[in-house]
Amino acid sequence: MATATADFGIDVFAKYKPIALDPSNPKLSEQQKSDLLSNISLLRDTIVYFTSSGAARGVSGHTGGPYDTIPEVCILEAFFHHSSDKYLPVVYDESGHRVATQYLLSALHKHIPFEHLLHYREANSKLPGHPELGLTPGIQFSSGRLGHLWSFVNGVAMAHPGKTLFMLGSDGSQQEGDDAEAARMAVAQNLNVKLLIDDNDVTIAGHPSEYLKGYSLSSTLKGHGLTVFEAPGEDIEKLYSSVCEAVTHSGPAAVIVKRKMAPGIKGLEGTTHAHDVVPAKVAIEYLEERGYNDAAAKIKAITPNSLAYLYSGSSKEVFANRVIFGEAVVSVLEKLSKEEAKEKVLVVDSDLEGSTGLSVIHKKRPEVFMSSGIMERGNFSAAAGFGSVKGKVGIFSTFSAFCEMIISEITMARLNFANVICHFSHSGVDDMADNTCHFGLNTFFADNGLIDGDTTRLYFPADANQMRATVAKVFWDQGIRLIISTRSKTPLILKEGTTEPFHGEGYEFVPGKDEFIREGKAGYVVAYGEMVYRALDAVDRLRSEGADVGLVNKSTLNVVDEDAMRKFGSSPFVLVIESLNQKTGLGSKMGSWLLERGLAPKYKYIGTSKEGCGGLSEQIFHQGLDPQSVIKAVRALQ
C-alpha cells in the first residue's frame, strides 16, 4: 500500500523496516541481516536520488560521503530504536558536507517531507550544504567546518555522563589537528564517545595513501590511547560485530570502516569524483537500473536556476579569479628554470588544488608543488618556514573561511619575518551553497600585526586582469601577502562608455594605491573584489540618471592611500560596499580613517550581516549587496 512518500519517487516509508538491535549481541539473525541490508540499499538509493537534484539544479553537493556511511547510520538507528535510555540519539558527523545524511534522517523521522529533499542546497529551501542548528527542522547540531566537531561532542558527552554518544568521522576530517586534541581529552576523561570513521582513501583532491604517506587512522588513534577496531564496511556482519565491540567497550573507542568510496556506483566507485555530487546523468541511469523510473523522471525535469541580470560597465565574459591566481603564478615561474624554481618556491596545497587554482601549478610546475592533507595550520606554517629563508617564497592556499583557523600561525610567521603568499579563495558569500559556516568573512583578522613596520598586505583584485597584475607585482615582495578571490566568476571592469578593460594592456598594479573607476562630485562608492562590478553597475545607472557618483576600487584593503582618501573623503558622501563581515570588514575601519584625517562626509557601510539563505548568487541579494540595494543606499545618503 502506498504511503506518504509515494509521490516522492521512492516510497521510503513503505519499504523501510524499523529494526531494534542490542549491541550486547554482536551476531545478526538472518532476518535482522536481511532487513538491515534492505534498509541500507533503500537509503543509499535515496541519497543518490535527492543529492542528484543538486547537480541537476546546478548547486552542486556531495553524494559519496553520505552514501558510504549509510550502513553505520542504519546500525545506529537500530540501536536507538532498541533503547532510548543508553544513547543520546544523535548521529553527529564531523564531515559537514555529508549533510545529506542529516536531511535524510530528518525526513525519516518526519520532521520534513521527503519531497522537500528534492530542493537540496537550493536557495531559501533551508537545506544548505552543511547542517545548521535552528534552520532545518530535525537538525540537531551544526557541524561547522571539516574536522571541528569531536571536541564539541566530548563536551556534550560530559553533559550526559550516563549516555553513549556517536560521531561519524572520515579519513579526511581526521587529518585536522583539532581531532588530535579531542582524542587525548576523550581518553584522559574516559568519555563514552564512539567514532565510526569512513576510511575510503578519498578526499577532494586525491588519495591520502598517495599524498600523505605514513598516515594511518588506526595507528594515530591508538597512539592517543583509543581502543580501535577495524571492519570492512561492505560486510554487514563484520561491520556490525565491530560496532558492537566498540559500543560495549567502556570508554572511547573507534571503528575504522574500510571501503572504496561510493561502492556500487558505476564510474564513481573509488574515485575522487565521488566526493562531489553524483552527476544527474549517472544518477538517472542508477535509478532506472533499480526500477525507480518516477524518480529518474523527476531528476530529468529539474533545470538549473538562473538570475538573469545584465550588468553595465563590465564585460559579458566572466573569469574565475581563483583559477587565474594559479595561472598568474605559473607566468611568474616561466622566468625560472626547474632547478631555480624548486630552490626558490614552495607551493603547499591543503587538498583543495582544484578549488583554489593550484592545480594548474601542480600540472605545469610540479617541481614546486606539494600535495598535503587537510591540515591548514601545519601547511601554512610549512610554507612560511620555507619562505623565512632569504630569497625564497612559500605559497599557501585554502578557502577564505579557513583564514580564521591560522591566525596564530600568521602571527608566528610574522615574528619570524616569513615571506609567504596566502591565496584565500571563496571569499564573501557569492555562490556559497555551503552556506554560513563556509562564508569567508573575517579576512581582516589576518591583519593583526603591530603598526610599527608591519608589511602584511591584503589584496583583493576586482577582475582577472588585476589578479594577474597583482600576482606579478607582489610575488617577490617581503612579508605576508594575502591575495583574495571568490568562488564565483567575475567580469572585466571596463572604462567608462567603452568596451576597453580598465586593467587592460599596459596596466601595472601599484600596491596600496586606490583606483578611481569613475570620477564623481556627488559622492563615492568604495568597493573591492567581486563587489566592484556590482557597485559599478549601480554607479553607472545613477550616473545615467544625472547623479554624478564616483567609484573607487580599493584593492589593497589594509593600507590608506592618503591622496585617494583626501579626494573621496572630501566629497558629500562615502558608501563602502563589501561582502566581508559588516562587523569586521573594511567599512568598520574606513569611518575611523576618515575622522582621523578631519574628513566628515556622510558615511555608511554595508557588508554581510545575515545568516545565509543557501543557493548561489541568491546570497548576494539576500545580504542586500546587489546593485539595486547599492542604489537605494546611495539615494539615502544624498
Side-chain angles (χ1 to χ4, degrees), residues 400-401 404 427-429 436 439-444 579-581 584-585 608:
S400 290
E404 298 169 17
S427 180
V429 302
T436 308
F439 286 174
L441 301 178
N442 293 309
T443 314
F444 271 92
S579 62
L580 296 191
N581 189 343
T584 65
T608 294

Side-chain angles (χ1 to χ4, degrees), residues 209-279:
S209 61
E210 297 174 4
Y211 67 71
L212 209 58
K213 294 184 184 300
Y215 171 54
S216 164
L217 273 173
S218 181
S219 297
T220 299
L221 292 173
K222 286 179 181 177
H224 291 308
L226 259 76
T227 298
V228 176
F229 304 91
E230 295 190 25
E234 300 309 298
D235 185 326
I236 193 60
E237 290 179 306
K238 291 181 179 178
L239 174 61
Y240 176 71
S241 177
S242 294
V243 174
C244 288
E245 285 189 88
V247 173
T248 55
H249 170 78
S250 178
V255 180
I256 310 300
V257 184
K258 299 280 189 177
R259 59 164 61 92
K260 289 185 178 180
M261 192 173 213
I265 303 181
K266 292 179 183 178
L268 294 182
E269 181 177 317
T271 71
T272 56
H273 299 295
H275 175 86
D276 299 318
V277 71
V278 58

Side-chain angles (χ1 to χ4, degrees), residues 290 474 478 519:
R290 288 158 177 78
V474 309
Q478 299 300 301
E519 302 268 356

Side-chain angles (χ1 to χ4, degrees), residues 312-392:
S312 64
S314 56
S315 66
K316 292 182 180 178
E317 188 177 8
V318 293
F319 303 85
N321 264 7
R322 57 191 172 113
V323 175
I324 299 298
F325 170 83
E327 294 175 356
V329 170
V330 169
S331 295
V332 172
L333 296 180
E334 285 177 353
K335 300 175 183 178
L336 304 179
S337 67
K338 287 185 178 181
E339 292 74 21
E340 289 174 318
K342 184 176 178 62
E343 179 185 352
K344 294 182 177 181
V345 179
L346 174 66
V347 179
V348 184
D349 173 52
S350 298
D351 190 52
L352 291 173
E353 62 176 273
S355 298
T356 65
L358 300 190
S359 57
V360 65
I361 305 173
H362 190 180
K363 180 180 179 181
K364 295 187 176 181
R365 300 305 298 257
E367 69 275 11
V368 306
F369 188 85
M370 184 176 83
S371 295
S372 195
I374 306 165
M375 309 178 297
E376 291 82 4
R377 301 166 189 81
N379 290 340
F380 170 81
S381 288
F386 182 89
S388 68
V389 178
K390 187 176 181 180
K392 300 181 186 293

